[in-house]
Amino acid sequence: MPSTTMDPELRDRMKSAVWYTVGKIVDEACATLGVDATPQYITALTELVYAQAVTLSSDVESFAWHAKRKTVNTDDVLMLCRRNEGLKDVLEEFVGDLEQKKFEAKSARTGNAGHN
């Protein structure tokens, strides 16, 4: 069954990393747009992003568990975005590109480049 608890210290470290990253992204956007963001806005956005990440991670763990696996894989992530066709298309293309690069690298190592 997917995990439901997290070490409080790890949770705090992860939340701090999200806060830092959200702050950097907001700072860049504010500089581009010529506006300011309050610390309260950054904190609220951090809470939203973190809560969404927790929900998404729980969902992909559940998909893997349902498939009787202990490891999340790309199929689980694709299942997660099944209702967002645009995102699913982008991720499927990305995964296809990665698989093609892996195949080409393996072919180059084994001396079978260009021989499908």
Side-chain angles (χ1 to χ4, degrees):
M1 182 120 205
S3 63
T4 56
T5 60
M6 181 186 296
D7 174 44
E9 183 180 330
L10 177 60
R11 184 195 63 235
D12 291 346
R13 289 178 55 207
M14 289 177 64
K15 219 173 206 182
S16 292
V18 172
W19 175 82
Y20 177 79
T21 303
V22 166
K24 288 292 189 186
I25 293 169
V26 169
D27 287 346
E28 283 181 27
C30 286
T32 300
L33 298 171
V35 296
D36 291 323
T38 65
Q40 294 84 358
Y41 172 80
I42 294 171
T43 300
L45 186 57
T46 297
E47 290 295 326
L48 178 69
V49 169
Y50 183 80
Q52 186 68 24
V54 168
T55 299
L56 296 176
S57 65
S58 176
D59 287 350
V60 294
E61 280 185 329
S62 294
F63 295 148
W65 180 78
H66 182 74
K68 298 179 179 27
R69 287 183 277 104
K70 292 184 178 184
T71 304
V72 171
N73 67 27
T74 54
D75 291 338
D76 303 317
V77 175
L78 292 172
M79 177 71 81
L80 180 72
C81 65
R82 69 194 178 282
R83 293 189 180 127
N84 185 332
E85 284 298 319
L87 177 59
K88 186 175 182 192
D89 291 344
V90 168
L91 288 176
E92 285 175 338
E93 181 179 342
F94 180 77
V95 169
D97 290 347
L98 283 178
E99 289 173 353
Q100 181 64 31
K101 287 177 184 175
K102 276 184 179 177
F103 176 77
E104 290 170 359
K106 183 178 179 182
S107 293
R109 282 194 311 269
T110 61
N112 294 327
H115 297 91
N116 291 350

